[in-house]
Structures are given as C-alpha cells and as structure tokens.
Amino acid sequence: MAFRKALKGTAIIGTGAAAALLGLSQLSEYRKTQNKWARLAYVAAEGELKQPFKDELPTRQAQLSTLQDTEEFDVLVVGGGATGSGCALDAVTRNLKTALVERNDFSSGTSSRSTKLIHGGVRYLQKAIMKLDYEQYMMVKEALHERSNLLDIAPHLSAPLPIMLPVYKWWQLPYYWAGIKMYDLVAGGQCLKSSYVLSKNKALELFPMLKKDKLVGAIVYYDGQHNDARMNLAIALTAARHGAAIANYTEVVHLLKKTDAGTGKEKVCGARCRDVITGNEFDVRAKCVINATGPFTDSLRKMDDGKNTNICQPSAGVHIVIPGYYSPDNMGLLDPATSDGRVIFFLPWEKMTIAGTTDTPTDITAHPIPREEDINFILNEVRNYLSPDVEVRRGDVLAAWSGIRPLVTDPNSKDTQSICRNHIVNVSDSGLVTIAGGKWTTYRSMAEETLDAAVAAHRLGGGPSKTVGLVLEGGQDWSPTLYIRLVQDYGLENEVAQHLAATYGGKAFDVAKMARVTGKRWPIVGNRLVSEFPYIESEVRYAVKEYACTAIDVIARRTRLGFLNVQAADEALPRIVDIMGKMLDWSDKKRTEELEAAKKFLYLEMGYRSRSEQLTGTTEITLDTQELCLIDRYTNRFHKFDKDSKGFITTVDVQRVLQNISVQIDENALHEILNEVDLNKNGQVELNEFLQLMSAVKKGQVSDSRLAILMKTAEESLDLRGPVTVDRSGGGV
C-alpha cells in the first residue's frame, strides 16, 4: 500500500516537475526582468522619491490635523494591517495624496499574529501539483518573488531560516525531496539557498531534540522569517515618511457618498471618522476609498451596500511560545502531516520557540482568544516529533495567541483548510475598492494590484508602482555589524545592542540616544524593563514617537514582550505605564485604566488565563497513589513557613525564613512571586493553593514556579545555610 502510494506521489511530482522544466527558460527570463525592475525601483526610490518627513515623523495629533484639514485626498485606505499599510505606501510613492485610518493600532489584528514566516508556501505547491491547480502554482511563484524582495527591503527585520522536514519512512525520502526541489525550482534565481538531504546522524546533530526512533533522514529547505508586527509598522512609518497622513485609533463611522453628475449613481467619496481616544468626529474626503480591513472586510462592504453578501470566511490559527531550549537556535521544523491533516511549524524566534498553527473556522472578533484544546493539540503534535527524553510540558507554554485569517470564500469548499489563500480585488458599483484574502508575504504585490485597479477605476494618474526594492524604515543604514557601534558609542549591553539593531535597524541610534544612564559600571546606559529580555526603557519613549497610544501597543507591537512571555510582560507593565503616563500626561485614573486594559489583554488574548486554569481546573490534588507521600512532604515544607499554623503564608512569613538563612529579596519581587500562586488574590497563599501548585508542577502543567523553587531551596538551606535562587527560568502560562 505504501509502495503504491509512493509511486502515485512520485508520478504526480514527476508530472509537475516536467511541466516546470518546460517553462524554466521563461521563468528564468521573468526573474531577470523582475530583478532589473527591482534595481531600477531602488534607484528611483533613493534618488527621486520625496520624503518630506525624513528627519522627524509628524506627531499623531499633526496627522489627525492633516486628515481633517485636507480638502480631498486621492486615496483613503481603511485598515492599518500589512495590506492596508502596503496600499498606503504604494499610493503615496505614486505621488498620490494618501490617507490611512486604522480603528485600533497598526498591526493589531492578524498581521501581528502570524507564524512569522515569509514564505511561498510548500503546502500550497503540493496542492498545486496534486490537483494540477495553476492558480495555486502562480500564487506560490508570486510569493517566492515577494519573499526575496521583502528580505532585501527590510534586512534588519528578516532573515533566511533553514527548516527541517524529518522523514520516518524510506519511500517518503524521494517523494519529499522531489517536492522540495520543485520549491527551489519555482523560486529560480531567487532561491535563498538550495535544499539538501541529511542522513539520520547529521539530522540529529543539527536538531538533537528530534525523535530518533525510525528516523531515516531529513530534508532541509530555506524560507524567510521576520518580526511581523515591526515589519507592518515599518511599512506604515515608511508611508508616513513619504507624506501619507496615517492615524491609528481612528475608526470609520460611515462612508460618505455623493451623486455622480454623469451617471446619477451614488459614489463613495470619503468617510466619517472618529478619533477613538478623544471621541472627536470628522470627515475625510477622498476620490477613492480602499477597503483593506482583513477579517472585517465584509463590515465595510456592507456600509457601502447592505445587500452585499460575505466574501470572507474567517479561520483561526493558534500559536504557542515555549522556551528556546525546545529547538536549535537556527533551525526550524516542519510537520507536513499532523494527526488531522494540518501542517505544524516549530520555529526558533526571538530566542524562544514558536509552534503552530491550527486552522479552524471561527467567528469574527477583534479580540480572538486561544482555546485550550488548540494549545493541547499543538503540544501533542510537538511530542510526536521530539525525543522522549524531552518532556513537553503544558506549563512551558509562555504565551499563546489566536489570529484570524481572512480567507477568500470558495462556495465549493467544505472546510477552510482547502481554501486557497489567494486574494481578490473588487471595485463596487459605488467605487469602493476592496482587497481581500491573500497572505502576509504577498502584501506588496496585493497593494500594487489594488492601486492599479483604483487608478484605473477612478482615473487617478500617478504612474506605476515604485515599491519593488523600496527599502523600509530602518533598513537604509543597517548592517550586520551595526550593533557593535551601539556597544562602543553608547555603552549598551551586547544583547541589548543586537536586539536594537535587529528591531530598529538604522533608527537604533535614536533609541540609544534616549536611553538613561544606569548608574552602574556596565552597562553605562539602557535600563531593562525585565531582567531576562533585552527590551529597555527608552524603547517605551521611542514607541510614543512611533504612534503608540496604549500600554498594549508597547508590550504587543512596539516590543514583542507580550508575545514572548506574558508573566514578564505583566511585570513590566507598571514601569511602561509610568513612562507613557509622563510622556502623554495621563491622569492617575487613565494610568489605572491602561494597566487594567493591558492585564486583560494578557489574560485573555495572550494566554495568561490558561495558567490560572491549570491550577484551578480541579479542586482536588491529583497525585498518583504512589506519590501520595509527597503530600506529606509538601505539607511539611509549607508549615516550615507557616510557623503560626494559620493555614496560609504571606510575604512576612517568607521573609522570616529567608532572614534565617541570610537571604534578602526585594519586597516588591516577593509580592510578585506570591501573587503568581495566590489564585483568589487575597494577599496570601493557602495550603490548598500550595498543594495545587505542587501537583500541577509534578504533572508538568506549571513549570519553573518561583515560589515552588524558592520554598524547596529554602527548606534545604535551613540546614546547609546555602544561597536561595529565585530567578525565573521560564514561568509558563
């Protein structure tokens, strides 16, 4: 059966390969043309395009004033995700008077919740070959071209990433090898690096966490990886540099229309907008309005015409973040066939490991929440590929999020997995231009196609697109050794300097200039927000210049702390709110509201809620029969702190024990440690809460609990009088 399946797959691959080979000369010529175009566009961008705000970005208030005071724009883009920002950049670099409004923050939706890959789509190529689907083939081809361009225009935010495809059956080796080689072939001259086959021993050398049993070898291919939210922001800021009036937290209340004198039909001529922060409403008039609202595409289409039917079918994709030790620093993993037919990626990112994604139909919401069943599904799939020596624990999940993909509906499809993630551009009878569907990687070509349609429909002029090769914010002055100058010129830590260079590119010097003196011998400047991450306080100040309006903007999109570790983000919040409060003149009430809103965001949308559920999911202590003796041990440990037999412990009790063993811990840090376990938030940890914690730790549902480590080490040190280590090495959710 397996042999027949192999022959069938190989035959199909062979057919596809033959077809590709027949067109290889045309493909090569196409790539040469595209490369020439890219070089010419780069020259034009550097030498001819105007950048009225090259030195200093206008403030958000100045942008709002421009939106209100401009008599008429050529183009108004609604939506500040990757596609909307791309449309604004394409329009403004065609010398069109451009505006963009986003009801939340730039990249607050799907564009910040991706798998962080810049890719053509190996699985789409497989579907194209299996089903002889030319449309999907062309989508992959286009995406591979855009992958190359995106790596060029934002080198600080993106890089090639090798991805391993482990093989556990001999017949699959030539099957997968042929498919991956096809992927290289379609990329042509823009192939990042050629794929290659590894023996079992070499695969384990490069990915030692991999399951050894029945492994016959592996195939490694290359795709791109990026910091998605920062990339989205770079696109929007580049548009602003070139003169686009962009404003986040500005929602469309309704579309403006006027009667066309020639046809007598109503035409869209702008939008009534509302500043979400102040509540102020105003009109923005434009010759053309572009709907680039992702999953909310149909909402704006129905503002235009209530009779419009839905064209988008939303699909939820959940990702989890686990500690970096689960994967090598520079090697990803692809599971091409999970237990239910999905594809799972397992990728290093920002010194952590991302695993995902799921693909399930969902309702449209601005605040998607990761489901526990999706988190456990991903963990189970990860276990299938990792060595039994690596214990994949639920408690190691440091963050989890759900993103809604705006897939274009295929009425003949039974499930969202089979929907092609291609895009459509539609111009309504009233002139509303809608761009829907597509994928992150192809945002630029989608924007170009959208503006071509807008220019034709509304006779805007402006010439062809100039965005191929147009370097994005921070990319102009970036080099791989830029971080060394940051260390030498400003006295930043090496890790912090590398982070700033990789996040802000050439703009990292502006962030460094805003850094405050630490008062230490080293580093000279750059106070960290939390000890285990390289984010520093000056990034919060710089974030305000990048139009950050809320604490959520900072923890989720200007930095990525909320996506990497929700506990660390929660600890950084008071300092972030304090810095922003001073810069934006927030009242005490406003600061409290910001803190609560950010905590709610972490709790619901970033998976923090799951941690409490792991401890409160059962009211009983569920240790195995053979482990019941552990309850006595844990109870005795608890009573060494609860000397008065109150049934609970407070910071005072813990401090007393620590003083006996000559250990000092900052009182605020101690409050944080107890608060992690204090489920009913009454300022004390009760015996039952402690036993639930230890039961969850034993089962792997919670990992690296600082209180558990502190109390265990303190118990041992009461006799030895040794040091107590309370540094958090993870802190799962």
Side-chain angles (χ1 to χ4, degrees):
M1 178 67 182
F3 181 68
R4 288 200 302 272
K5 187 175 181 181
L7 285 178
K8 181 181 177 183
T10 307
I12 293 171
I13 290 289
T15 303
L21 286 170
L22 288 173
L24 185 57
S25 59
Q26 292 97 323
L27 177 64
S28 177
E29 191 61 35
Y30 170 77
R31 294 306 181 201
K32 290 178 183 177
T33 303
Q34 293 299 310
N35 287 337
K36 179 181 179 182
W37 183 24
R39 287 193 296 272
L40 290 174
Y42 179 81
V43 171
E46 293 300 300
E48 297 177 16
L49 291 179
K50 298 178 182 179
Q51 289 193 54
F53 302 108
K54 183 177 181 180
D55 297 325
E56 188 77 19
L57 284 168
T59 64
R60 179 175 179 273
Q61 189 54 51
Q63 296 280 35
L64 288 170
S65 296
T66 301
L67 288 173
Q68 296 176 56
D69 298 340
T70 301
E71 183 177 346
E72 185 180 51
F73 289 95
D74 293 317
V75 174
L76 168 62
V77 181
V78 182
T83 304
S85 298
C87 287
L89 180 58
D90 192 286
V92 75
T93 51
R94 296 189 194 211
N95 293 319
L96 298 175
K97 194 177 295 184
T98 305
L100 179 148
V101 293
E102 160 60 46
R103 72 173 181 181
N104 204 297
D105 186 27
F106 305 114
S107 196
S108 59
T110 308
S111 296
S112 64
R113 303 174 191 232
S114 72
T115 311
K116 322 304 179 194
L117 284 178
I118 309 170
H119 63 137
V122 173
R123 61 172 172 161
Y124 299 127
L125 181 60
Q126 180 191 30
K127 288 181 180 181
I129 294 170
M130 291 293 192
K131 299 178 181 180
L132 299 178
D133 188 331
Y134 183 72
E135 182 187 1
Q136 291 224 39
Y137 167 76
M138 290 304 297
M139 186 187 76
V140 174
K141 182 177 174 180
E142 177 187 51
L144 289 171
H145 166 64
E146 292 301 324
R147 178 188 70 178
S148 176
N149 181 67
L150 195 49
L151 289 167
D152 286 341
I153 65 177
H156 58 304
L157 291 170
S158 60
L161 176 71
I163 300 175
M164 182 182 292
L165 197 163
V167 180
Y168 289 90
K169 295 178 181 178
W170 281 108
W171 69 264
Q172 290 179 334
L173 203 56
Y175 174 73
Y176 287 138
W177 177 83
I180 294 298
K181 278 301 174 186
M182 273 290 294
Y183 195 59
D184 291 348
L185 185 64
V186 174
Q190 294 175 326
C191 178
L192 301 180
K193 290 184 181 180
S194 182
S195 58
Y196 54 90
V197 178
L198 293 174
S199 66
K200 175 180 179 178
N201 289 337
K202 191 64 178 176
L204 291 172
E205 180 183 329
L206 293 175
F207 209 119
M209 309 84 176
L210 208 56
K211 185 172 68 176
K212 304 174 185 177
D213 188 32
K214 297 182 180 180
L215 181 70
V216 298
I219 301 167
V220 175
Y221 73 98
Y222 286 80
D223 256 326
Q225 188 178 51
H226 69 153
N227 185 335
D228 54 2
R230 292 293 318 181
M231 185 73 80
N232 190 158
L233 185 64
I235 300 166
L237 295 179
T238 305
R241 295 275 183 199
H242 284 87
I246 66 172
N248 54 352
Y249 294 99
T250 306
E251 67 178 352
V252 171
V253 179
H254 60 80
L255 295 174
L256 302 177
K257 292 188 176 183
K258 65 180 180 180
T259 302
D260 185 273
T263 63
K265 295 181 179 180
E266 281 197 330
K267 297 290 184 180
V268 174
C269 62
R272 180 72 174 176
C273 297
R274 186 175 75 91
D275 182 349
V276 175
I277 295 175
T278 65
N280 181 43
E281 291 192 6
F282 53 92
D283 290 340
V284 178
R285 299 197 174 273
K287 297 173 184 175
C288 171
V289 176
I290 294 176
N291 174 13
T293 53
F296 301 95
T297 293
D298 292 316
S299 297
L300 203 65
R301 290 180 71 248
K302 288 179 178 178
M303 275 190 194
D304 177 31
D305 184 351
K307 297 178 182 178
N308 280 332
T309 58
N310 291 344
I311 62 171
C312 280
Q313 183 172 323
S315 169
V318 171
H319 295 80
I320 64 173
V321 171
I322 50 182
Y325 54 69
Y326 274 99
S327 65
D329 290 339
N330 194 38
M331 180 68 75
L333 185 75
L334 167 65
D335 177 358
T338 62
S339 57
D340 67 350
R342 303 174 187 172
V343 172
I344 290 286
F345 285 98
F346 192 65
L347 309 168
W349 184 68
E350 299 285 326
K351 299 186 178 180
M352 296 295 179
T353 301
I354 288 181
T357 178
T358 59
D359 193 356
T360 52
T362 186
D363 295 327
I364 294 176
T365 172
H367 307 287
I369 299 172
R371 301 185 307 169
E372 186 64 26
E373 50 263 48
D374 288 326
I375 294 173
N376 286 322
F377 167 80
I378 296 171
L379 288 173
N380 287 332
E381 295 302 325
V382 168
R383 291 187 186 102
N384 292 336
Y385 273 86
L386 295 189
S387 168
D389 298 336
V390 180
E391 184 183 359
V392 181
R393 304 178 296 183
R394 174 62 183 81
D396 282 335
V397 177
L398 305 175
W401 69 85
S402 176
I404 300 179
R405 301 185 191 93
L407 306 182
V408 179
T409 302
D410 178 356
N412 298 317
S413 173
K414 295 181 180 179
D415 58 80
T416 58
Q417 283 103 306
S418 65
I419 294 176
C420 173
R421 219 185 306 184
N422 214 337
H423 63 273
I424 64 165
V425 177
N426 172 262
V427 182
S428 72
D429 292 340
S430 65
L432 177 68
V433 180
T434 294
I435 169 67
K439 53 189 292 186
W440 222 120
T441 306
T442 57
Y443 84 89
R444 192 214 61 82
S445 59
M446 291 163 58
E448 178 182 346
E449 185 180 334
T450 303
L451 263 297
D452 285 344
V455 167
H458 295 275
R459 300 174 185 175
L460 300 175
S465 174
K466 300 181 179 69
T467 53
V468 173
L470 177 64
V471 179
L472 299 181
E473 175 90 350
Q476 295 88 344
D477 302 316
W478 177 86
S479 73
T481 57
L482 182 146
Y483 75 94
I484 297 175
R485 288 178 54 200
L486 291 170
V487 175
Q488 293 176 337
D489 294 353
Y490 293 95
L492 289 161
E493 291 177 81
N494 187 60
E495 184 187 13
V496 170
Q498 288 180 333
H499 153 68
L500 294 182
T503 302
Y504 303 94
K507 300 296 181 183
F509 294 100
D510 295 338
V511 183
K513 289 174 186 176
M514 300 175 75
R516 303 284 171 83
V517 175
T518 63
K520 303 175 184 176
R521 185 183 62 82
W522 190 262
I524 298 173
V525 300
N527 293 300
R528 294 194 181 209
L529 289 169
V530 284
S531 60
E532 63 264 54
F533 288 92
Y535 300 111
I536 57 176
E537 292 179 353
S538 64
E539 291 183 76
V540 182
R541 301 182 186 97
Y542 192 74
V544 175
K545 291 179 173 290
E546 294 182 320
Y547 306 123
C549 299
T550 70
I552 297 174
D553 297 343
V554 174
I555 61 173
R557 293 172 286 274
R558 303 310 183 278
T559 74
R560 306 312 306 276
L561 193 54
F563 279 78
L564 295 171
N565 190 314
V566 291
Q567 284 188 239
D570 186 62
E571 290 175 18
L573 274 176
R575 184 61 185 139
I576 290 171
V577 170
D578 182 56
I579 295 171
M580 293 188 75
K582 291 177 181 177
M583 293 192 70
L584 299 173
D585 196 26
W586 286 345
S587 65
D588 289 343
K589 179 182 178 183
K590 174 64 174 174
R591 294 184 189 213
T592 301
E593 290 173 351
E594 282 294 322
L595 194 60
E596 290 176 351
K599 285 180 177 291
K600 182 179 179 181
F601 168 79
L602 292 174
Y603 184 76
L604 294 176
E605 297 183 50
M606 291 291 111
Y608 208 174
R609 177 179 66 174
S610 300
R611 179 182 180 278
S612 296
E613 289 178 346
Q614 292 306 303
L615 290 176
T616 60
T618 59
T619 55
E620 298 181 2
I621 312 304
T622 54
L623 293 169
D624 295 339
T625 305
Q626 297 133 349
E627 298 173 333
L628 290 177
C629 60
L630 293 175
I631 294 181
D632 291 334
R633 183 193 300 177
Y634 297 149
T635 302
N636 290 335
R637 182 178 301 167
F638 183 87
H639 285 311
K640 288 186 179 181
F641 287 78
D642 180 22
K643 286 290 186 183
D644 301 326
S645 299
K646 305 182 298 297
F648 61 86
I649 58 174
T650 64
T651 55
V652 175
D653 298 310
V654 179
Q655 285 282 27
R656 182 175 61 237
V657 174
L658 296 181
Q659 287 174 1
N660 289 337
I661 57 175
S662 303
V663 171
Q664 290 185 343
I665 295 181
D666 178 73
E667 185 174 352
N668 290 332
L670 197 55
H671 274 291
E672 290 176 1
I673 292 171
L674 261 68
N675 191 55
E676 292 173 6
V677 186
D678 180 14
L679 300 177
N680 54 18
K681 304 303 177 188
N682 60 358
Q684 56 197 35
V685 176
E686 296 156 5
L687 175 60
N688 192 57
E689 288 176 323
F690 179 68
L691 293 178
Q692 282 181 295
L693 167 68
M694 298 312 297
S695 174
V697 168
K698 185 70 178 175
K699 291 185 293 184
Q701 294 174 329
V702 171
S703 65
D704 301 313
S705 164
R706 291 189 285 178
L707 182 65
I709 294 171
L710 183 149
M711 293 180 70
K712 179 177 181 293
T713 312
E715 180 184 47
E716 296 169 350
S717 300
L718 284 171
D719 294 326
L720 299 176
R721 297 294 191 267
V724 179
T725 301
V726 295
D727 289 342
R728 181 183 66 239
S729 60
V733 300

